[in-house]
Amino acid sequence: MALLGLGPSVAGRRDRRGLVTKRRAVGGAVVAVVLAGIALVAGLRGSGRGPVMVPPLAQHPAPLFTRSLASLKAGTFSLGSQRGHPVLLSFLNTQAEATAANDPSRAEIVFIKSMNTQNGRYGLRTVIVDAAQAAGASAPSRDALVNFTFDWALDPSIAVVGDQDGSLERAYGVTRAPTTVTCEVRNAQWLFADRGLSSSSLFRPFWRDLFR
């Protein structure tokens, strides 16, 4: 007696069931891997060995200063008058040439602008200090610094100041450009810490602490 072959509809249903089963198996494997990854990160966070833990950085007394602004409206910036606001203080080479590939100061300017745009509304004060001495360059004139603010279309809320004699760089121990530090008042004293900033992702772990 000849066996009857399965009709196309029955065979199709079996193929679809097999495909669904395979997809479920693959999906279960993916979920298992994700859960394992979450457990690993949680374990590392608890043990203090994971990259999510940010070690506290040493803070030092922040030298107070008052400098003339590189602005058509003139004026000055005084760190001492910023009490109640965290200050992002970036020492960089404002005259870095655009022809220099991957120039760190030019890259830092992009970061500084982004931080100011995102967090100025929350009270952040942003200051760019020309660090010609650390960059091994000649100190620019005030007009050159004013042109810098226009060339980079800096928001007026970003203060730009010069450091003709390098005294501010020396006061903060700046030996390389760029160097970005945060300044804040703790126990009635201005303190600063070198955050080693290079991206917003590195800055965020300190954000809650800065604005507490």
Side-chain angles (χ1 to χ4, degrees), residues 93-107 109 148 151-152:
N93 181 11
T94 63
Q95 306 304 303
E97 296 291 339
T99 54
N102 301 318
D103 182 85
S105 283
R106 295 181 66 84
I109 295 170
F148 163 77
D151 290 342
W152 281 93

Side-chain angles (χ1 to χ4, degrees), residues 38-86:
I38 293 174
L40 176 60
V41 171
L44 290 175
R45 179 178 296 179
S47 65
R49 292 182 289 107
V52 294
M53 298 300 293
V54 181
L57 296 178
Q59 292 185 315
H60 312 278
L64 299 182
F65 64 91
T66 299
R67 293 294 171 99
S68 297
L69 290 172
S71 168
L72 294 178
K73 296 181 179 180
T76 60
F77 175 87
S78 175
L79 179 61
S81 66
Q82 305 305 312
R83 182 177 295 272
H85 298 276

Side-chain angles (χ1 to χ4, degrees), residues 4-204:
L4 295 177
L6 294 175
S9 60
V10 176
R13 285 196 298 272
R14 287 191 174 180
D15 290 341
R16 287 193 294 272
R17 289 174 181 172
L19 182 59
V20 170
T21 300
K22 290 180 180 179
R23 286 178 176 173
R24 287 177 177 173
V26 172
V30 171
V31 171
V33 170
V34 172
L35 291 177
I38 293 174
L40 176 60
V41 171
L44 290 175
R45 179 178 296 179
S47 65
R49 292 182 289 107
V52 294
M53 298 300 293
V54 181
L57 296 178
Q59 292 185 315
H60 312 278
L64 299 182
F65 64 91
T66 299
R67 293 294 171 99
S68 297
L69 290 172
S71 168
L72 294 178
K73 296 181 179 180
T76 60
F77 175 87
S78 175
L79 179 61
S81 66
Q82 305 305 312
R83 182 177 295 272
H85 298 276
V87 177
L88 196 61
L89 188 59
S90 185
F91 295 83
L92 51 82
N93 181 11
T94 63
Q95 306 304 303
E97 296 291 339
T99 54
N102 301 318
D103 182 85
S105 283
R106 295 181 66 84
E108 191 77 351
I109 295 170
V110 175
F111 164 70
I112 293 299
K113 291 181 63 176
S114 176
M115 286 294 95
N116 186 72
T117 299
Q118 294 177 47
N119 304 296
R121 72 190 74 175
Y122 303 119
L124 179 70
R125 298 292 185 263
T126 304
V127 186
I128 292 177
V129 180
D130 179 79
Q133 189 172 93
S138 299
S141 64
R142 182 180 180 280
D143 288 343
L145 287 177
V146 172
N147 289 336
F148 163 77
T149 67
F150 286 104
D151 290 342
W152 281 93
L154 297 182
D155 188 89
S157 63
I158 299 179
V160 177
V161 302
D163 189 26
Q164 290 284 334
D165 59 359
S167 60
L168 197 53
E169 296 165 69
R170 292 192 295 274
Y172 278 83
V174 175
T175 58
R176 68 187 188 282
T179 292
T180 299
V181 304
T182 54
C183 301
E184 55 188 322
V185 174
R186 291 291 175 88
N187 298 322
Q189 181 182 20
W190 275 98
L191 302 173
F192 82 95
D194 185 347
R195 305 297 191 184
L197 304 177
S198 61
S199 71
S200 58
S201 62
L202 293 178
F203 188 73
R204 287 193 191 99

